[in-house]
Amino acid sequence: MINSLRQLKTPLLILFCCLLGVVAGTGNVSAEGATDSYNYSYWGDAVTAPAAYMATELLTGPDLGTKPFKEPSDMHVTGANYVYVLDSGNNRIVVLDDEFKLVSTVESFTREGQPDGFLNPQGIFVSDDGDVLVADTGHQRVVHLDSDFRLVKIIDSPDSELLKDSFKFEPVRVVMDQAKRIYVMAGGVFDGFMEFNADGHFTSFIGANRVHIDPVEYFWKQISTKAQRSQMVVFTPTEFTNLDIDPEGFIYATNGDQWGDNIKKLNARGSDILRRTGYSDPQGDILYISSEGPSKLTDIDVTDSEIYSVLDSKRGRVFTYNGDGHLMYVFGGLGNQLGQFHTPAALDRIGEDFLVLDKALGEITVFRTTEYGRTLNEAVKSYYRGEEETAFKLFNRTIAMNANLEFAYAGIGKALLRQGDYKDAMKHFNRSLDQKNYSKAFLLYRKEVMREHFPVIMTMLFLVGIAIFAATRLRKVKGRRKGASA
């Protein structure tokens, strides 16, 4: 027995070392070695991809004909492509037109006949009607201005039984829907976004994040004394980090969750309805150096056709997803070159292009779409609009430029599925490893084959039945004849 154990000692030691190597290696697998433009395969590997966007220029205050930006924190692009930059350190709003020409700067407004201004504002939103909402953080209020920057109302110190007596209103981000309801992300609030009606009265919280419990911490809490538990970390929901709203009134939000649930799409009831049917959940980088941790998402921008983009301030990258949660493309990074950032704080789209605001450098980087990016964007939008033939052609063009984009094969499959070409749809779903849609196409193809060959099949069954019947009768007749002759 002892000799057997000794013989197994060396193989077991080698196996143990191999397992340690695998475990240690998994923490170092990342997209850090990838280029600025990459994607993730079905198996979770980072694969190279053509650049969907290229940085073309930098915009600074002096470039625009005004003083330098000082720690700008937010910006908003309107439907008419006017850019509103919230220059927080200078307590002002800078407005640019679609050609990045200076339109105006707003440093104050009139309140009850007296000039009033902002103090370290952190968030700005502009409605389709031109209403401007500013999260005036330093003054602990939300300022609502009309399109001419005249005061409409001020929201401060909300009063409600839902709020504690010690509650301190510190708005950080703000949006407004078509019904003039205002949603505020406030600092130190873990119950979700604060909802205000059109009159500015607080009504409720919406979309609180779930509480994630550390199993180890929970175990120690169960066996600790009351005094020891009082010194431990209290489990609380994760705070949101930003929000945006689409034309249909759905709120897209990011939070600081480290569990891969850091992007949400909230309906009117505050329920998360974000579709997560991609190869991995939308969350930024899914591979990273363990010592650095996952992406830290600080802003989100939603455009038409359910396409949305998130900004990772930890690595300076922009990730864009389609409505199903498939990663479309990545660009950006941290550094000193054009297209890289120091402290990325906000992003927004202007047409098909992107603007990324750098808080530390006081710069806006303009990213122009490439042919690959335009083709992929239009392919996703065409499919969303139900234009199957156009989507089919565009997805094929996309694959010609990037064979590694596996979900594009699924896009072709879906377009073929809508057109009724189930057999070819199965081939493309198989290429994209989309088992769910492959099964759907297979069932439809089987029904189509059965329906097409049903007359032939029934005729053959009928003839086989007659043949069996005739053979049986013939066998009985022969049997009777033999019995009679005997």
Side-chain angles (χ1 to χ4, degrees), residues 74-367:
D74 200 11
M75 65 180 172
H76 185 94
V77 179
T78 68
N81 288 339
Y82 279 79
V83 183
Y84 288 67
V85 182
L86 190 61
D87 190 7
S88 304
N90 290 317
N91 299 314
R92 63 174 182 163
I93 302 170
V94 178
V95 184
L96 313 175
D97 63 16
D98 57 347
E99 296 181 350
F100 308 123
K101 304 296 183 182
L102 182 64
V103 175
S104 63
T105 58
V106 181
E107 298 183 356
S108 64
F109 55 92
T110 302
R111 182 185 184 187
E112 297 178 352
Q114 300 295 323
D116 200 347
F118 310 108
L119 180 61
N120 192 29
Q122 295 297 305
I124 187 170
F125 178 83
V126 184
S127 72
D128 293 338
D129 297 329
D131 287 349
V132 180
L133 290 99
V134 178
D136 193 4
T137 311
H139 285 143
Q140 300 178 17
R141 64 186 183 180
V142 172
V143 178
H144 182 183
L145 307 174
D146 65 14
S147 58
D148 294 320
F149 302 104
R150 293 174 299 198
L151 181 64
V152 176
K153 62 177 176 287
I154 285 182
I155 300 174
D156 59 357
S157 302
D159 185 19
S160 172
E161 295 179 354
L162 299 175
L163 303 173
K164 298 180 180 180
D165 294 336
S166 59
F167 175 73
K168 187 177 181 181
F169 187 48
E170 295 182 346
V172 181
R173 293 290 190 272
V174 59
V175 297
M176 184 169 68
D177 64 14
Q178 298 290 345
K180 303 296 183 181
R181 288 185 295 260
I182 297 172
Y183 301 91
V184 176
M185 187 187 87
V189 174
F190 300 94
D191 298 313
F193 298 115
M194 303 181 69
E195 179 182 328
F196 297 83
N197 61 23
D199 296 326
H201 297 118
F202 173 70
T203 55
S204 63
F205 290 102
I206 181 174
N209 289 308
R210 293 181 299 172
V211 178
H212 289 290
I213 299 175
D214 186 338
V216 176
E217 187 73 19
Y218 179 76
F219 170 75
W220 285 113
K221 278 196 173 186
Q222 298 306 304
I223 64 175
S224 301
T225 65
K226 185 176 181 180
Q228 290 173 328
R229 287 196 297 269
S230 65
Q231 302 297 318
M232 293 183 176
V233 176
V234 178
F235 298 126
T236 57
T238 309
E239 280 189 278
F240 285 105
T241 56
N242 221 314
L243 77 164
D244 196 10
I245 192 166
D246 70 6
E248 297 178 352
F250 294 109
I251 295 176
Y252 287 71
T254 56
N255 59 54
D257 203 330
Q258 303 294 306
W259 298 76
D261 193 20
N262 50 3
I263 305 175
K264 290 186 174 183
K265 178 182 179 181
L266 305 176
N267 61 16
R269 299 179 59 183
S271 301
D272 181 17
I273 59 172
L274 187 73
R275 297 199 300 277
R276 299 177 175 88
T277 58
Y279 299 139
S280 59
D281 289 349
Q283 57 185 290
D285 274 319
I286 61 174
L287 296 178
Y288 46 83
I289 297 175
S290 56
S291 60
E292 292 189 1
S295 297
K296 182 180 180 182
L297 305 183
T298 56
D299 199 7
I300 185 166
D301 173 71
V302 56
T303 185
D304 62 321
S305 307
E306 296 186 331
I307 298 174
Y308 58 94
S309 304
V310 292
L311 176 63
D312 176 13
S313 63
K314 181 174 289 187
R315 299 178 182 88
R317 294 170 180 161
V318 176
F319 299 82
T320 298
Y321 300 88
N322 71 353
D324 290 327
H326 282 287
L327 178 61
M328 295 173 59
Y329 42 76
V330 182
F331 63 88
L334 298 179
N336 299 317
Q337 299 179 0
L338 181 63
Q340 297 178 330
F341 322 106
H342 183 279
T343 310
L347 83 156
D348 211 330
R349 283 179 180 263
I350 178 166
E352 284 293 311
D353 302 329
F354 273 99
L355 304 178
V356 179
L357 180 66
D358 194 311
K359 185 171 185 176
L361 300 179
E363 299 173 341
I364 300 173
T365 304
V366 182
F367 288 86

